[in-house]
Amino acid sequence: MASTPPLKILTGTALTEQQKKDLLHRLARVEGQLRGVQKLVAKAAEPEDCEAIAQQMSAARKALDRSFVTLMTSAIVTQAEGEGGEENRQQSLQRLVRLLDKFA
């Protein structure tokens, strides 16, 4: 199996480089969990196998939810500490609040 090359991490104001690395690491773990779930589904032969699949799906869903919380927390911290004046900071924080309201 060929491995994918690492993603290039861009510099910007959305997240710090470390926040991006941490989030990408979490998402890579979720990706691995989902590949494991796919294998379990492919090999399911008995009704009891569905419980193991459901358990792994639940774990992957929770890991993805945790990644979302990490993303939003990191974005809030980064925006609150950001430069650009109080008005820009308030606009950024209001945008993040709308995102939380929309997706959480």
Side-chain angles (χ1 to χ4, degrees):
M1 179 189 329
S3 64
T4 58
L7 293 171
K8 179 181 180 189
I9 296 177
L10 300 177
T11 302
T13 57
L15 299 167
T16 66
E17 186 174 329
Q18 187 60 49
Q19 288 168 330
K20 288 179 182 183
K21 284 181 181 179
D22 291 346
L23 191 54
L24 288 169
H25 181 71
R26 282 181 179 277
L27 292 172
R29 287 198 324 249
V30 172
E31 182 180 23
Q33 285 178 305
L34 292 175
R35 279 194 305 271
V37 169
Q38 289 173 330
K39 289 177 185 175
L40 287 174
V41 169
K43 294 178 180 181
E46 303 293 328
E48 294 80 19
D49 295 337
C50 292
E51 183 176 347
I53 294 168
Q55 182 180 12
Q56 290 305 309
M57 284 180 163
S58 176
R61 185 181 66 235
K62 287 177 185 176
L64 190 57
D65 286 344
R66 185 66 193 138
S67 296
F68 173 79
V69 170
T70 299
L71 168 68
M72 295 309 299
T73 302
S74 297
I76 290 168
V77 168
T78 301
Q79 295 300 313
E81 294 174 348
E83 298 178 21
E86 185 62 27
E87 185 176 329
N88 287 342
R89 196 171 11 258
Q90 287 298 320
Q91 289 174 353
S92 294
L93 290 174
Q94 287 173 1
R95 183 175 57 251
L96 291 167
V97 167
R98 286 192 302 271
L99 284 174
L100 279 172
D101 188 44
K102 184 176 181 178
F103 296 116

